[in-house]
Amino acid sequence: MTLTLLFSAPDRIWPLYEAALPRALQQAGIDARLTREAAPEDVDYIIYAPNETLRDFSPFTRVKAVLSLWAGVEKIAPNPTLTQPLCRMVDPGLALGMRDYVTGHVMRYHLGMDRYILGLDGAWDQTAPPLARDRAVTVLGLGALGKTCALALAELGFDVTGWSRKLKEIDGITCLAGPEGLQSALSTAEILVLLLPDTSQTQGILNADSLKHLPEGARIVNPGRGTLIDDDALLAALDSGQVGHATLDVFRIEPLPEGHPYWSHPKVTVTPHIAAETREDTASEVIAENIRRGETGLPFLHLVDRSAGY
């Protein structure tokens, strides 16, 4: 039987997947018709990214799973019409892109590169940076992306602490959890990386109170979610010197509005949500594998826990 796969995602990414998905499906031995339009009762799987067209999932009575193209599912998981299994995207290409972004900016801070590239003081100062093993880095969020980044930083020699909602065990990483663990994780973070999901428990996790626990002059890298940071609190911490610099890739409103203080603040680097992008080739392989599993009775990969929101 030929499966019907509805591709419901923004127009701009359709050309990327129009060739990649059929190729991955064929390699997985799946007979499927990929389409952008279909009668709801004929659809077997929905390949989804947030868009203006599909918001009511109730007519799709035959759908076996909704397969997200995004790692974050906060814009779809709360949808009351979505009763089908929901799988988030855990894409090897996405993880590698995030690893590259995070390690690049952590190394930039560790080595003090801005001082030389921007000529901040013009002085001939031969003070060398410490070795990576003497630099403490904390990663908030130890999901697929956070774990990949934490392990890469540890491989470079950094003293890495990771924090998550539930305690995890990762070789080479000091893992903490819970409110007490968060305070401890922040207290040693010379460089702090934010890779938490957007949930009611994580929104504003970096606020006026939690920022006080950071070592004075700590650096922050946020390629996770814009909602993790209280913007006013961060700006105040930057102005006071409690935070030495912040590199921000995600924001509460995107594109970041013209005139927002982040654009002109001397201690903020803005990047336009480029830290990591789902790669159509590797993402298509993940989609194909989940469809293969759905058709052979195996459990889906990366199934979303609706109660946790990710």
Side-chain angles (χ1 to χ4, degrees):
M1 182 186 73
T2 300
L3 300 174
T4 298
L5 314 182
L6 177 64
F7 188 90
S8 182
D11 292 341
R12 66 179 180 82
I13 66 173
W14 169 243
L16 301 176
Y17 287 92
E18 189 176 10
L21 261 171
R23 185 165 57 246
L25 292 165
Q26 183 179 28
Q27 291 173 350
I30 297 168
D31 181 13
R33 178 176 71 97
L34 182 65
T35 180
R36 302 209 65 193
E37 295 184 3
E41 63 272 15
D42 294 335
V43 177
D44 295 289
Y45 294 89
I46 299 175
I47 299 159
Y48 183 84
N51 63 86
E52 297 298 321
T53 303
L54 177 54
R55 295 183 177 179
D56 183 4
F57 292 86
S58 55
F60 294 89
T61 54
R62 194 165 104 179
V63 162
K64 300 170 187 175
V66 175
L67 308 175
S68 176
L69 291 171
W70 287 10
V73 292
E74 64 274 5
K75 292 187 176 181
I76 179 177
N79 189 320
T81 71
L82 179 61
T83 59
Q84 302 90 339
L86 171 65
C87 300
R88 62 192 178 90
M89 175 54 66
V90 178
D91 168 28
L94 179 70
L96 292 175
M98 186 64 78
R99 178 204 63 185
D100 294 350
Y101 181 95
V102 167
T103 55
H105 284 285
V106 167
M107 288 299 294
R108 164 197 165 203
Y109 283 142
H110 169 61
L111 296 174
M113 297 302 294
D114 287 2
R115 180 182 182 188
Y116 305 106
I117 293 171
L118 302 177
L120 296 183
D121 53 23
W124 183 265
D125 181 356
Q126 292 182 292
T127 303
L131 296 174
R133 68 188 183 190
D134 299 318
R135 178 81 72 188
V137 180
T138 290
V139 178
L140 299 188
L142 292 174
L145 299 181
K147 180 180 178 181
T148 297
C149 293
L151 287 171
L153 293 168
E155 182 67 22
L156 289 170
F158 288 102
D159 177 11
V160 181
T161 296
W163 181 88
S164 54
R165 189 172 64 91
K166 296 179 181 178
L167 188 60
K168 300 189 176 183
E169 293 185 8
I170 303 173
D171 288 344
I173 310 298
T174 300
C175 294
L176 302 173
E180 298 80 10
L182 177 61
Q183 183 172 331
S184 178
L186 293 174
S187 69
T188 62
E190 296 176 78
I191 303 174
L192 177 67
V193 180
L194 301 177
L195 282 169
L196 289 162
D198 180 5
T199 70
S200 58
Q201 289 77 34
T202 62
Q203 289 173 4
I205 195 168
L206 213 60
N207 52 47
D209 180 61
S210 58
L211 285 164
K212 294 176 183 177
H213 296 299
L214 291 171
E216 186 174 355
R219 269 61 174 174
I220 294 171
V221 181
N222 183 21
R225 294 287 183 269
T227 55
L228 302 177
I229 294 177
D230 179 324
D231 293 330
D232 291 338
L234 176 57
L235 288 165
L238 289 163
D239 290 340
S240 72
Q242 175 62 23
V243 174
H245 201 279
T247 294
L248 308 175
D249 187 60
V250 286
F251 308 92
R252 290 176 180 269
I253 299 175
E254 294 187 2
L256 185 65
E258 183 179 353
H260 192 286
Y262 284 151
W263 281 117
S264 58
H265 200 289
K267 294 182 179 180
V268 173
T269 297
V270 170
T271 60
H273 205 142
I274 58 166
E277 183 73 16
T278 301
R279 268 63 174 182
E280 63 272 15
D281 289 337
T282 49
S284 293
E285 292 171 1
V286 175
I287 295 292
E289 172 60 16
N290 252 342
I291 293 173
R292 186 191 71 80
R293 285 172 166 265
E295 293 305 298
T296 56
L298 294 172
F300 290 114
L301 298 173
H302 320 308
L303 195 62
V304 173
D305 179 350
R306 303 291 180 85
S307 63
Y310 58 91

